[in-house]
Amino acid sequence: MSDQQTDPRNASDTRSGPAAGSAEAFWDERYDQSDRLWSGEPNAALVRETEGLTPGSALDLGCGEGGDAIWLARQGWRVTATDISRVALGRAAGHADQARVADRVEWQHHDLGASFPAGSYDLVCAQFLHSLHEMPREQILQNAAAAVSGGGTLLIVGHMGFPGWETEPHPGVDFPTPQKVLASLDLPAGQWDVLVCDTHEHPLTAPDGEPSTRTNYTVKLRRRGRQD
């Protein structure tokens, strides 16, 4: 799920544990608990890493309430945005209407472990695609790489661990290193350029209002096109 990190509430807050039943039911229930779960602002890594890219077609995996997708649309991208939660997608569509970019975003419902958007894209983003439920994350990210068109960009951003205030983190959640993420993509030799594979500290605010940081990673790759 896309994590708008300016909001102290976090998708990997596990104090209550995952809800019984499917991942879709869990996320629908989580979104139903409040009118807005995330800040609505784009993720900082997305803003930073797309600077200088020529807008084209973009795929946003795990779009949540649509903050990243709407920001991309405002920059001139044509966006396909997916999420497992129909509640989140409905809310995101409403936000796109308010931002007057509804004509530039197509919202699609996908459990990415079972189905994946068709087509190829100039930019494919997977921002904080973590889940308390079992999820074939490596296969999803390999599908994401396959969806990048020649000359296009794959951007993967994730957490390296739970935030510091989490005293009882869920033991089943995997936080791979960026190097492991890159290796798990199993990319064909000579067809991709690695632009970024690194970690960084992201400032955020703890639930008690105190300033804190969380270690995240960014993996950014460019698929070579015919002109290379």
Side-chain angles (χ1 to χ4, degrees), residues 10 30 38 68 75-76 79 87 100 104 114 124-125 128-129 135 152 164 187 218:
N10 192 281
R30 185 174 176 95
W38 311 120
D68 288 342
Q75 311 313 306
V79 186
V87 176
R100 299 184 179 180
R104 302 195 64 83
V124 177
C125 302
F128 304 102
L129 199 64
M135 178 179 69
L187 299 172
T218 299

Side-chain angles (χ1 to χ4, degrees), residues 56-67:
S57 59
L59 174 62
D60 182 15
L61 301 173
C63 65
E65 293 166 320

Side-chain angles (χ1 to χ4, degrees), residues 16 20 23 38 59 79 98-99 101 103 152 169 198 200 202 218 227:
S16 60
W38 311 120
L59 174 62
V79 186
Q98 294 170 7
V101 294
D103 60 331
D198 205 356
H200 59 277
H202 183 85
T218 299
Q227 69 274 20

Side-chain angles (χ1 to χ4, degrees), residues 108-171:
Q108 294 187 10
H109 176 256
H110 287 277
D111 176 344
L112 293 172
S115 64
F116 198 88
S120 59
Y121 304 84
D122 300 308
L123 172 66
V124 177
C125 302
Q127 310 263 357
F128 304 102
L129 199 64
H130 304 290
S131 177
L132 299 178
H133 289 77
E134 184 176 350
M135 178 179 69
R137 191 169 184 271
E138 291 187 358
Q139 183 59 58
I140 292 170
L141 294 181
Q142 289 174 6
N143 291 341
V148 178
S149 60
T153 300
L154 174 64
L155 179 62
I156 303 169
V157 181
H159 296 307
M160 290 288 290
F162 288 96
W165 62 80
E166 284 281 1
T167 57
E168 298 180 3
H170 194 280

Side-chain angles (χ1 to χ4, degrees), residues 204-224:
L204 70 167
T205 304
D208 62 4
E210 291 296 315
S212 183
T213 61
R214 190 171 190 180
T215 304
N216 296 330
Y217 69 81
T218 299
V219 175
K220 179 182 178 181
L221 304 103
R222 177 182 175 275
R223 187 170 202 162
R224 295 180 182 177

